[in-house]
Amino acid sequence: MCENKLDYNYYLDYVSDLGYRLRKVPEEFKDERLCLQALKRDKHMLEYVPESVITLEMCEIAIGSYMSMDYIPEKFKTYEFCKKAVSVNSY
């Protein structure tokens, strides 16, 4: 987590209401907790999450987004995950 807790909490609150605000959060504040909070509000924000903090949980939230597979790290693209992504996005 960032050393400046006051600024970090500001950005955590900032994305808690509207996840799309993640795109405006400085990189040094983007940790797993903050990015997960943003993704829970807006599943389209995976492209703004640093790859180093992306988790399987984040990827599972994001698979409902039509572009999310472009931003999911290869290590999470298992057969089971891709099967789930197809089932979620099929019409």
Side-chain angles (χ1 to χ4, degrees):
M1 181 157 69
C2 183
E3 292 175 11
N4 191 337
K5 193 171 178 81
L6 291 176
D7 288 341
Y8 177 82
N9 287 334
Y10 167 79
Y11 285 112
L12 185 60
D13 288 342
Y14 184 66
V15 301
S16 291
D17 293 328
L18 300 167
Y20 72 85
R21 291 176 172 168
L22 182 63
R23 67 182 81 176
K24 295 187 178 199
V25 173
E27 292 297 312
E28 64 265 21
F29 296 101
K30 292 182 180 179
D31 67 358
E32 184 178 332
R33 179 179 174 210
L34 188 141
C35 292
L36 182 60
Q37 185 66 28
L39 279 166
K40 287 180 178 179
R41 300 291 181 252
D42 187 338
K43 63 186 173 189
H44 298 92
M45 291 295 102
L46 191 63
E47 72 178 285
Y48 299 100
V49 177
E51 188 170 339
S52 62
V53 300
I54 294 176
T55 64
L56 180 59
E57 180 181 7
M58 290 179 191
C59 295
E60 288 174 343
I61 291 169
I63 60 172
S65 167
Y66 66 95
M67 290 180 58
S68 65
M69 290 301 281
D70 294 338
Y71 303 105
I72 293 174
E74 291 298 318
K75 67 182 178 182
F76 296 118
K77 292 181 182 177
T78 63
Y79 174 78
E80 288 302 315
F81 181 84
C82 292
K83 190 169 128 179
K84 184 175 181 179
V86 169
S87 70
V88 167
N89 289 302
S90 62
Y91 296 83

